[in-house]
Amino acid sequence: MLYAVLCYNDEKAVSAWTAEEDAECMARLGAVQEPMRANGRLGPVVRLQNTTEAKTLRKTSGEPVVFDGPFAETKEQFLGFYVADCETIDQAVDFAKELAIANPGVGSYEIRPLRVYLPSALADAAGVS
């Protein structure tokens, strides 16, 4: 079963890291990711740019409206995600726990089962059935 591991953290804190601190964090996360990748159980890993670079399209009763930023009223922002192929949600939670240990500071990880919807040509190219 595929699971999304959604990563939330304070982007101001993460953005304040030096290049060295960022590289060290990415190396720790890479060490956690490697066993999953080596077993062919890790899909895309994505790090999102800051919310200041984002746009939000809000559906209305008329034409959709586009705004700058996500306008989240939270202390944490959605910073990125993993796609992990795990036998159970408990296994996906264990993977997220390892990521949390490797990643400094506070934050949270949301683990959600995925349903993949791809046209057959894309699914074949992605190795998904």
Side-chain angles (χ1 to χ4, degrees):
M1 173 73 134
L2 292 178
Y3 292 90
V5 180
L6 308 175
C7 310
Y8 295 84
N9 205 326
D10 178 351
E11 74 179 18
K12 287 181 183 177
V14 172
S15 295
W17 293 345
T18 65
E20 182 179 86
E21 289 170 324
D22 189 68
E24 289 171 358
C25 177
M26 297 310 290
R28 288 190 304 272
L29 291 170
V32 172
Q33 297 166 28
E34 186 51 36
M36 293 283 284
R37 186 180 323 280
N39 290 327
R41 301 185 74 80
L42 186 63
V45 175
V46 176
R47 186 175 189 183
L48 300 176
Q49 297 300 316
N50 286 350
T51 56
T52 55
E53 303 298 319
K55 300 262 186 213
T56 296
L57 185 139
R58 184 139 348 256
K59 292 173 36 175
T60 64
S61 58
E63 288 293 315
V65 179
V66 178
F67 299 95
D68 289 336
F71 291 108
E73 295 294 329
T74 65
K75 293 183 179 183
E76 296 176 349
Q77 290 76 38
F78 177 46
L79 298 185
F81 63 90
Y82 295 80
V83 174
D85 183 6
C86 299
E87 303 273 331
T88 65
I89 196 165
D90 292 332
Q91 188 180 45
V93 168
D94 289 343
F95 177 57
K97 285 179 182 177
E98 291 181 57
L99 294 169
I101 292 167
N103 200 358
V106 297
S108 60
Y109 291 82
E110 180 180 346
I111 297 91
R112 297 177 69 174
L114 293 178
R115 290 185 187 156
V116 178
Y117 297 100
L118 293 174
S120 60
L122 288 175
D124 292 342
V128 177
S129 54

